[in-house]
Amino acid sequence: MPTIRVLPHPVLCPDGMELSVSPGQTLCAVLLENGIRIDHACQQHGVCATCHVLIREGFRTLPPADEKEEDQLDRAWGLESVSR
């Protein structure tokens, strides 16, 4: 089972956290289920990109973003090359 390491963030996750993730789970859902309250204006329907996150380590281990994700990321505020 893959592990996600959430780096410390002063508001969202002050101490950081390591989470086990089942294949097929969205990152947004996993974070929310573990008390990390990231913005998600469209209630996880994948249409607004407010939940986009920055992958600081392990970005190359992710599968490529599909066309739908790429289209949403094009609209994301604060987009970086490691946004997902």
Coordinates of all heavy atoms in Angstrom, one line a residue:
M1 N 0.8 -1.2 0.0 CA 0.0 0.0 0.0 C 0.9 1.2 0.0 O 1.8 1.3 0.8 CB -0.9 0.0 1.2 CG -2.0 1.0 1.2 SD -3.2 1.0 2.6 CE -3.8 -0.7 2.4
P2 N 0.7 2.2 -0.9 CA 1.5 3.4 -1.0 C 1.3 4.2 0.3 O 0.3 4.2 1.0 CB 1.0 4.1 -2.2 CG 0.2 3.2 -3.0 CD -0.3 2.1 -2.0
T3 N 2.4 5.0 0.6 CA 2.4 5.9 1.7 C 2.6 7.3 1.2 O 3.4 7.6 0.3 CB 3.5 5.5 2.7 OG1 3.3 4.2 3.2 CG2 3.5 6.5 3.9
I4 N 1.8 8.2 1.8 CA 1.9 9.6 1.5 C 2.5 10.3 2.7 O 1.9 10.1 3.8 CB 0.6 10.3 1.1 CG1 0.1 9.6 -0.2 CG2 0.7 11.8 1.0 CD1 -1.3 10.1 -0.6
R5 N 3.5 11.1 2.5 CA 4.0 11.9 3.7 C 3.6 13.3 3.4 O 4.0 14.0 2.4 CB 5.5 11.8 3.8 CG 6.0 12.6 5.0 CD 7.5 12.2 5.3 NE 8.4 12.2 4.2 CZ 9.3 13.1 3.9 NH1 9.5 14.0 4.8 NH2 10.1 12.9 2.9
V6 N 2.8 13.8 4.3 CA 2.3 15.2 4.3 C 3.3 16.0 5.1 O 3.6 15.8 6.3 CB 0.9 15.4 4.9 CG1 0.5 16.8 4.9 CG2 -0.1 14.5 4.2
L7 N 4.0 17.0 4.4 CA 4.9 17.8 5.1 C 4.2 18.8 6.0 O 3.1 19.2 5.8 CB 5.7 18.6 4.0 CG 6.5 17.8 3.0 CD1 7.2 18.7 2.0 CD2 7.6 16.9 3.8
P8 N 4.9 19.2 7.1 CA 4.3 20.1 8.0 C 3.8 21.4 7.3 O 4.5 22.0 6.5 CB 5.4 20.4 9.0 CG 6.3 19.2 9.0 CD 6.2 18.8 7.5
H9 N 2.6 21.9 7.7 CA 2.1 23.1 7.2 C 1.5 23.8 8.4 O 0.7 23.2 9.2 CB 1.0 22.8 6.1 CG 0.4 24.1 5.6 ND1 -0.6 24.8 6.2 CD2 0.6 24.7 4.4 CE1 -1.0 25.8 5.5 NE2 -0.2 25.8 4.4
P10 N 1.8 25.1 8.6 CA 1.4 25.7 9.9 C -0.1 25.7 10.2 O -0.5 25.7 11.3 CB 1.9 27.2 9.8 CG 2.2 27.3 8.3 CD 2.5 26.0 7.7
V11 N -0.9 25.6 9.2 CA -2.4 25.7 9.4 C -3.0 24.3 9.1 O -3.8 23.8 10.0 CB -3.1 26.7 8.4 CG1 -4.6 26.7 8.5 CG2 -2.5 28.1 8.7
L12 N -2.7 23.7 8.0 CA -3.4 22.4 7.6 C -2.9 21.2 8.4 O -3.7 20.3 8.6 CB -3.2 22.2 6.1 CG -3.8 23.3 5.2 CD1 -3.5 23.0 3.8 CD2 -5.3 23.4 5.4
C13 N -1.6 21.1 8.7 CA -1.1 19.9 9.3 C 0.3 20.3 10.0 O 1.3 20.0 9.5 CB -0.9 18.8 8.2 SG -0.5 17.2 8.9
P14 N 0.2 20.9 11.1 CA 1.4 21.5 11.8 C 2.5 20.5 12.0 O 3.7 20.8 12.0 CB 0.9 22.1 13.1 CG -0.6 22.3 12.9 CD -1.0 21.3 11.9
D15 N 2.2 19.2 12.3 CA 3.2 18.2 12.7 C 3.5 17.3 11.5 O 4.4 16.4 11.6 CB 2.7 17.4 13.8 CG 2.5 18.2 15.1 OD1 3.3 19.1 15.3 OD2 1.6 17.9 15.9
G16 N 2.9 17.5 10.3 CA 3.1 16.6 9.2 C 2.4 15.3 9.6 O 1.9 15.1 10.7
M17 N 2.4 14.4 8.6 CA 1.7 13.1 8.8 C 2.1 12.1 7.7 O 2.4 12.5 6.6 CB 0.2 13.4 8.8 CG -0.7 12.2 9.2 SD -2.5 12.7 9.0 CE -2.7 13.8 10.4
E18 N 2.1 10.8 8.1 CA 2.2 9.8 7.0 C 0.9 9.0 7.0 O 0.3 8.6 8.0 CB 3.4 8.9 7.4 CG 4.7 9.5 7.1 CD 5.9 8.6 7.0 OE1 5.6 7.3 6.9 OE2 7.0 9.0 7.0
L19 N 0.4 8.8 5.7 CA -0.8 8.2 5.5 C -0.7 7.0 4.5 O 0.0 7.1 3.5 CB -1.8 9.2 4.9 CG -2.0 10.5 5.6 CD1 -2.8 11.5 4.7 CD2 -2.7 10.3 6.9
S20 N -1.3 5.9 4.8 CA -1.4 4.8 3.9 C -2.6 5.0 3.0 O -3.7 5.4 3.4 CB -1.6 3.4 4.6 OG -0.4 3.2 5.4
V21 N -2.4 4.7 1.7 CA -3.4 5.0 0.7 C -3.7 3.8 -0.1 O -2.8 3.1 -0.6 CB -2.9 6.1 -0.3 CG1 -4.0 6.5 -1.3 CG2 -2.5 7.3 0.5
S22 N -5.0 3.5 -0.3 CA -5.4 2.3 -1.1 C -5.4 2.8 -2.6 O -5.8 3.9 -2.9 CB -6.8 1.8 -0.7 OG -6.8 1.4 0.6
P23 N -5.0 1.9 -3.5 CA -5.1 2.3 -4.9 C -6.5 2.7 -5.3 O -7.5 2.2 -4.8 CB -4.8 1.0 -5.7 CG -3.9 0.3 -4.7 CD -4.5 0.6 -3.3
G24 N -6.6 3.8 -6.1 CA -7.9 4.3 -6.5 C -8.5 5.4 -5.7 O -9.4 6.1 -6.1
Q25 N -7.9 5.6 -4.5 CA -8.4 6.7 -3.6 C -7.8 8.0 -4.2 O -6.7 8.1 -4.7 CB -7.9 6.6 -2.2 CG -8.6 5.6 -1.4 CD -8.1 5.6 0.1 OE1 -7.0 5.3 0.3 NE2 -8.9 6.0 1.0
T26 N -8.6 9.1 -4.1 CA -8.1 10.4 -4.5 C -7.3 11.0 -3.4 O -7.6 10.7 -2.2 CB -9.2 11.4 -4.9 OG1 -10.0 11.7 -3.8 CG2 -10.1 10.8 -6.0
L27 N -6.3 11.8 -3.7 CA -5.5 12.4 -2.7 C -6.4 13.4 -1.8 O -6.3 13.4 -0.6 CB -4.4 13.2 -3.3 CG -3.4 13.8 -2.4 CD1 -2.8 12.8 -1.4 CD2 -2.3 14.5 -3.2
C28 N -7.3 14.1 -2.4 CA -8.2 14.9 -1.7 C -9.0 14.2 -0.7 O -9.1 14.6 0.5 CB -9.2 15.6 -2.7 SG -10.3 16.8 -1.9
A29 N -9.6 13.0 -1.0 CA -10.4 12.2 -0.1 C -9.5 11.7 1.0 O -9.9 11.8 2.2 CB -11.0 11.1 -0.8
V30 N -8.3 11.3 0.7 CA -7.4 10.8 1.8 C -7.1 11.8 2.8 O -7.1 11.6 4.0 CB -6.1 10.1 1.2 CG1 -5.1 9.8 2.2 CG2 -6.5 8.9 0.4
L31 N -6.7 13.0 2.3 CA -6.4 14.1 3.2 C -7.6 14.5 4.1 O -7.4 14.6 5.3 CB -5.9 15.3 2.4 CG -4.6 15.1 1.6 CD1 -4.3 16.3 0.7 CD2 -3.4 14.8 2.6
L32 N -8.7 14.7 3.5 CA -9.9 15.0 4.2 C -10.3 14.0 5.3 O -10.6 14.3 6.4 CB -11.1 15.3 3.3 CG -11.0 16.5 2.4 CD1 -12.1 16.6 1.4 CD2 -10.9 17.8 3.2
E33 N -10.2 12.7 4.9 CA -10.5 11.6 5.8 C -9.6 11.6 7.0 O -9.9 11.0 8.1 CB -10.4 10.3 5.1 CG -11.6 10.0 4.1 CD -11.3 8.8 3.2 OE1 -10.3 8.1 3.4 OE2 -12.1 8.7 2.3
N34 N -8.4 12.2 6.9 CA -7.4 12.2 7.9 C -7.3 13.6 8.6 O -6.3 13.9 9.3 CB -6.1 11.7 7.4 CG -6.1 10.2 7.2 OD1 -5.8 9.5 8.1 ND2 -6.3 9.8 5.9
G35 N -8.3 14.4 8.5 CA -8.4 15.6 9.2 C -7.6 16.8 8.6 O -7.4 17.8 9.3
I36 N -7.1 16.6 7.4 CA -6.3 17.7 6.7 C -7.3 18.4 5.8 O -7.7 17.9 4.8 CB -5.1 17.1 6.0 CG1 -4.2 16.4 6.9 CG2 -4.4 18.3 5.3 CD1 -3.1 15.6 6.3
R37 N -7.8 19.5 6.3 CA -8.9 20.3 5.7 C -8.5 21.2 4.5 O -8.5 22.4 4.6 CB -9.7 21.1 6.7 CG -10.2 20.2 7.8 CD -11.4 19.4 7.3 NE -11.8 18.4 8.3 CZ -12.2 17.2 7.9 NH1 -12.2 16.8 6.7 NH2 -12.5 16.3 8.9
I38 N -8.1 20.6 3.4 CA -7.7 21.4 2.2 C -9.0 21.9 1.6 O -10.1 21.3 1.7 CB -6.9 20.6 1.2 CG1 -7.7 19.4 0.6 CG2 -5.6 20.1 1.9 CD1 -7.0 18.7 -0.5
D39 N -8.9 23.0 0.9 CA -10.0 23.6 0.1 C -10.5 22.5 -0.9 O -9.7 21.9 -1.5 CB -9.6 24.9 -0.6 CG -9.4 26.0 0.4 OD1 -10.0 25.9 1.5 OD2 -8.7 26.9 0.1
H40 N -11.8 22.5 -1.1 CA -12.4 21.6 -2.1 C -13.8 22.1 -2.4 O -14.8 21.6 -2.1 CB -12.4 20.1 -1.7 CG -13.1 19.9 -0.4 ND1 -12.7 20.3 0.8 CD2 -14.2 19.2 -0.2 CE1 -13.5 19.9 1.7 NE2 -14.5 19.2 1.2
A41 N -13.8 23.2 -3.2 CA -15.0 24.0 -3.4 C -16.1 23.2 -4.1 O -17.3 23.4 -3.9 CB -14.8 25.3 -4.1
C42 N -15.7 22.2 -5.0 CA -16.7 21.5 -5.7 C -17.1 20.2 -5.1 O -17.7 19.3 -5.7 CB -16.2 21.2 -7.1 SG -14.8 20.0 -7.2
Q43 N -16.8 20.0 -3.8 CA -17.1 18.8 -3.0 C -16.6 17.5 -3.6 O -17.3 16.5 -3.7 CB -18.6 18.8 -2.8 CG -19.2 20.0 -2.1 CD -18.5 20.2 -0.7 OE1 -18.4 19.3 0.1 NE2 -18.1 21.4 -0.5
Q44 N -15.4 17.6 -4.1 CA -14.6 16.4 -4.7 C -15.2 15.9 -6.0 O -15.1 14.7 -6.3 CB -14.6 15.3 -3.6 CG -13.9 15.7 -2.4 CD -13.7 14.6 -1.4 OE1 -13.1 13.6 -1.7 NE2 -14.3 14.7 -0.2
H45 N -15.8 16.7 -6.8 CA -16.3 16.3 -8.1 C -15.3 16.5 -9.2 O -15.5 16.2 -10.3 CB -17.6 17.1 -8.4 CG -18.7 16.6 -7.6 ND1 -19.4 15.4 -7.7 CD2 -19.3 17.3 -6.5 CE1 -20.3 15.4 -6.8 NE2 -20.3 16.4 -6.1
G46 N -14.1 17.1 -8.8 CA -13.0 17.3 -9.8 C -13.3 18.3 -10.9 O -12.9 18.1 -12.0
V47 N -14.0 19.4 -10.5 CA -14.3 20.4 -11.6 C -13.8 21.8 -11.3 O -14.0 22.7 -12.0 CB -15.8 20.4 -11.8 CG1 -16.3 19.1 -12.4 CG2 -16.6 20.8 -10.6
C48 N -13.1 22.0 -10.1 CA -12.7 23.4 -9.8 C -11.2 23.5 -9.5 O -10.7 24.7 -9.5 CB -13.5 23.9 -8.6 SG -13.1 23.1 -7.0
A49 N -10.5 22.5 -9.2 CA -9.0 22.6 -8.9 C -8.7 23.3 -7.6 O -7.5 23.6 -7.4 CB -8.3 23.1 -10.1
T50 N -9.6 23.6 -6.8 CA -9.3 24.3 -5.5 C -8.5 23.3 -4.6 O -7.8 23.8 -3.7 CB -10.5 24.8 -4.7 OG1 -11.4 23.8 -4.5 CG2 -11.1 25.9 -5.5
C51 N -8.6 22.0 -4.8 CA -7.9 21.0 -3.9 C -6.5 20.7 -4.5 O -5.9 19.8 -3.9 CB -8.8 19.8 -3.8 SG -9.0 18.8 -5.3
H52 N -6.1 21.4 -5.5 CA -4.8 20.9 -6.0 C -3.7 21.1 -4.9 O -3.8 22.0 -4.1 CB -4.5 21.7 -7.3 CG -3.6 22.9 -7.2 ND1 -4.0 24.1 -7.0 CD2 -2.2 23.0 -7.4 CE1 -3.0 25.0 -6.9 NE2 -1.9 24.3 -7.2
V53 N -2.7 20.2 -5.0 CA -1.7 20.2 -4.0 C -0.3 20.2 -4.7 O -0.3 19.9 -5.9 CB -1.8 19.0 -3.0 CG1 -3.0 19.0 -2.2 CG2 -1.7 17.7 -3.8
L54 N 0.7 20.5 -4.0 CA 2.1 20.4 -4.5 C 2.8 19.2 -4.0 O 2.8 18.9 -2.8 CB 2.9 21.7 -4.1 CG 2.2 23.0 -4.5 CD1 3.0 24.2 -3.9 CD2 2.0 23.1 -5.9
I55 N 3.3 18.4 -4.9 CA 4.0 17.2 -4.6 C 5.5 17.5 -4.5 O 6.1 17.7 -5.5 CB 3.7 16.1 -5.7 CG1 2.2 15.9 -6.0 CG2 4.4 14.8 -5.3 CD1 1.4 15.4 -4.8
R56 N 6.0 17.6 -3.3 CA 7.4 18.1 -3.1 C 8.4 16.9 -3.3 O 9.5 17.1 -3.6 CB 7.5 18.7 -1.7 CG 6.7 20.0 -1.6 CD 7.3 21.0 -2.4 NE 6.6 22.3 -2.2 CZ 6.5 23.3 -3.0 NH1 7.1 23.2 -4.2 NH2 5.9 24.4 -2.7
E57 N 7.9 15.7 -3.0 CA 8.8 14.5 -3.1 C 8.0 13.4 -3.8 O 6.9 13.2 -3.5 CB 9.3 14.1 -1.8 CG 10.2 15.1 -1.1 CD 10.6 14.6 0.3 OE1 10.4 13.4 0.7 OE2 11.2 15.4 1.1
G58 N 8.7 12.7 -4.7 CA 8.0 11.5 -5.3 C 7.1 11.8 -6.5 O 6.4 11.0 -6.9
F59 N 7.2 13.0 -7.0 CA 6.3 13.4 -8.1 C 6.5 12.5 -9.3 O 5.5 12.1 -9.9 CB 6.6 14.9 -8.6 CG 5.7 15.4 -9.6 CD1 4.5 15.9 -9.3 CD2 6.0 15.3 -11.0 CE1 3.6 16.4 -10.2 CE2 5.2 15.8 -11.9 CZ 3.9 16.3 -11.6
R60 N 7.7 12.1 -9.5 CA 8.0 11.2 -10.7 C 7.4 9.8 -10.5 O 7.4 9.0 -11.5 CB 9.5 11.1 -10.9 CG 10.1 12.4 -11.4 CD 11.5 12.3 -11.7 NE 12.1 13.6 -11.8 CZ 13.3 13.9 -12.1 NH1 14.2 12.9 -12.3 NH2 13.7 15.1 -12.3
T61 N 7.1 9.4 -9.3 CA 6.5 8.1 -9.1 C 5.0 8.0 -9.4 O 4.4 6.9 -9.4 CB 6.7 7.6 -7.6 OG1 6.0 8.4 -6.8 CG2 8.2 7.6 -7.3
L62 N 4.4 9.2 -9.6 CA 2.9 9.2 -9.9 C 2.7 8.9 -11.4 O 3.5 9.2 -12.2 CB 2.4 10.6 -9.6 CG 2.5 11.1 -8.2 CD1 2.0 12.5 -8.1 CD2 1.7 10.2 -7.3
P63 N 1.5 8.3 -11.7 CA 1.2 8.1 -13.1 C 0.9 9.5 -13.7 O 0.6 10.5 -13.0 CB -0.1 7.3 -13.0 CG -0.7 7.5 -11.7 CD 0.5 7.8 -10.8
P64 N 1.1 9.6 -15.0 CA 0.8 10.9 -15.6 C -0.7 11.4 -15.4 O -1.6 10.5 -15.3 CB 1.0 10.7 -17.1 CG 1.8 9.4 -17.2 CD 1.5 8.6 -15.9
A65 N -0.8 12.7 -15.3 CA -2.2 13.2 -15.1 C -3.0 12.9 -16.4 O -2.4 13.0 -17.5 CB -2.1 14.7 -14.9
D66 N -4.2 12.5 -16.2 CA -5.1 12.3 -17.4 C -5.6 13.7 -18.0 O -5.3 14.7 -17.4 CB -6.2 11.4 -17.1 CG -7.2 11.9 -16.1 OD1 -7.3 13.1 -15.8 OD2 -8.0 11.0 -15.5
E67 N -6.2 13.6 -19.1 CA -6.7 14.9 -19.7 C -7.6 15.7 -18.9 O -7.5 16.9 -18.8 CB -7.4 14.5 -21.0 CG -7.7 15.7 -21.9 CD -8.3 15.4 -23.2 OE1 -8.1 14.2 -23.7 OE2 -9.0 16.2 -23.8
K68 N -8.5 15.0 -18.1 CA -9.4 15.8 -17.2 C -8.6 16.5 -16.1 O -8.9 17.7 -15.9 CB -10.4 14.8 -16.6 CG -11.4 15.5 -15.7 CD -12.3 14.4 -15.1 CE -13.3 15.1 -14.1 NZ -14.1 14.1 -13.4
E69 N -7.7 15.8 -15.5 CA -6.9 16.5 -14.5 C -6.0 17.6 -15.1 O -6.0 18.7 -14.5 CB -5.9 15.5 -13.8 CG -5.1 16.1 -12.7 CD -4.2 15.1 -12.0 OE1 -4.2 13.9 -12.4 OE2 -3.4 15.5 -11.1
E70 N -5.4 17.4 -16.2 CA -4.7 18.5 -16.9 C -5.5 19.7 -17.2 O -5.1 20.8 -16.9 CB -4.1 18.0 -18.2 CG -2.9 17.0 -18.0 CD -1.6 17.6 -17.5 OE1 -1.5 18.9 -17.4 OE2 -0.7 16.9 -17.2
D71 N -6.8 19.5 -17.6 CA -7.7 20.6 -17.9 C -8.0 21.4 -16.6 O -8.1 22.6 -16.6 CB -9.0 20.1 -18.5 CG -8.8 19.6 -19.9 OD1 -7.8 19.9 -20.6 OD2 -9.7 19.0 -20.4
Q72 N -8.2 20.6 -15.5 CA -8.5 21.3 -14.2 C -7.3 22.1 -13.7 O -7.4 23.2 -13.2 CB -9.0 20.3 -13.2 CG -10.3 19.8 -13.5 CD -11.3 20.9 -13.6 OE1 -11.4 21.8 -12.9 NE2 -12.1 20.7 -14.7
L73 N -6.1 21.5 -13.8 CA -4.9 22.1 -13.4 C -4.6 23.4 -14.1 O -4.1 24.4 -13.6 CB -3.7 21.2 -13.5 CG -3.6 20.1 -12.4 CD1 -2.5 19.1 -12.7 CD2 -3.5 20.6 -11.0
D74 N -5.0 23.5 -15.4 CA -4.8 24.7 -16.2 C -5.6 25.9 -15.5 O -5.2 27.0 -15.8 CB -5.3 24.5 -17.6 CG -4.4 23.6 -18.4 OD1 -3.2 23.5 -18.0 OD2 -4.8 23.1 -19.5
R75 N -6.6 25.6 -14.7 CA -7.4 26.6 -14.1 C -7.0 26.9 -12.7 O -7.6 27.7 -12.0 CB -8.9 26.3 -14.1 CG -9.4 26.2 -15.5 CD -10.8 25.8 -15.5 NE -11.0 24.9 -16.7 CZ -12.0 24.0 -16.8 NH1 -12.8 23.9 -15.9 NH2 -12.0 23.3 -17.9
A76 N -6.0 26.1 -12.1 CA -5.7 26.2 -10.7 C -4.9 27.5 -10.4 O -4.0 27.9 -11.2 CB -4.9 25.0 -10.3
W77 N -5.2 28.1 -9.3 CA -4.5 29.2 -8.8 C -3.2 28.7 -8.1 O -3.2 27.8 -7.4 CB -5.4 30.0 -7.8 CG -4.7 31.2 -7.2 CD1 -4.7 32.4 -7.8 CD2 -3.9 31.3 -6.0 NE1 -3.9 33.3 -7.0 CE2 -3.5 32.6 -5.9 CE3 -3.6 30.4 -5.0 CZ2 -2.7 33.0 -4.8 CZ3 -2.8 30.8 -3.9 CH2 -2.4 32.1 -3.8
G78 N -2.1 29.4 -8.4 CA -0.8 29.0 -7.7 C -0.2 27.7 -8.3 O 0.5 27.0 -7.7
L79 N -0.5 27.5 -9.6 CA -0.1 26.3 -10.3 C 1.5 26.2 -10.3 O 2.1 27.3 -10.6 CB -0.6 26.2 -11.7 CG -0.4 24.9 -12.5 CD1 -1.1 23.8 -11.9 CD2 -0.8 25.1 -13.9
E80 N 2.0 25.1 -10.0 CA 3.5 24.9 -10.2 C 3.7 23.6 -11.0 O 2.8 22.8 -11.2 CB 4.1 24.7 -8.8 CG 4.1 26.0 -8.0 CD 4.9 25.9 -6.7 OE1 5.8 25.0 -6.6 OE2 4.6 26.7 -5.8
S81 N 4.9 23.4 -11.4 CA 5.2 22.2 -12.2 C 4.9 20.9 -11.4 O 4.8 19.8 -12.0 CB 6.7 22.2 -12.7 OG 7.5 22.2 -11.6
V82 N 4.9 20.9 -10.1 CA 4.6 19.7 -9.3 C 3.2 19.7 -8.7 O 2.9 19.1 -7.7 CB 5.7 19.6 -8.2 CG1 7.0 19.3 -8.8 CG2 5.7 20.8 -7.3
S83 N 2.3 20.5 -9.3 CA 0.9 20.5 -8.9 C 0.2 19.3 -9.4 O 0.4 18.8 -10.5 CB 0.2 21.8 -9.4 OG 0.6 22.9 -8.9
R84 N -0.7 18.8 -8.5 CA -1.6 17.7 -8.9 C -3.0 17.9 -8.2 O -3.1 18.6 -7.3 CB -1.1 16.3 -8.4 CG 0.1 15.8 -9.2 CD -0.1 15.6 -10.7 NE -1.0 14.6 -11.1 CZ -0.6 13.4 -11.5 NH1 0.6 13.0 -11.4 NH2 -1.6 12.5 -11.9

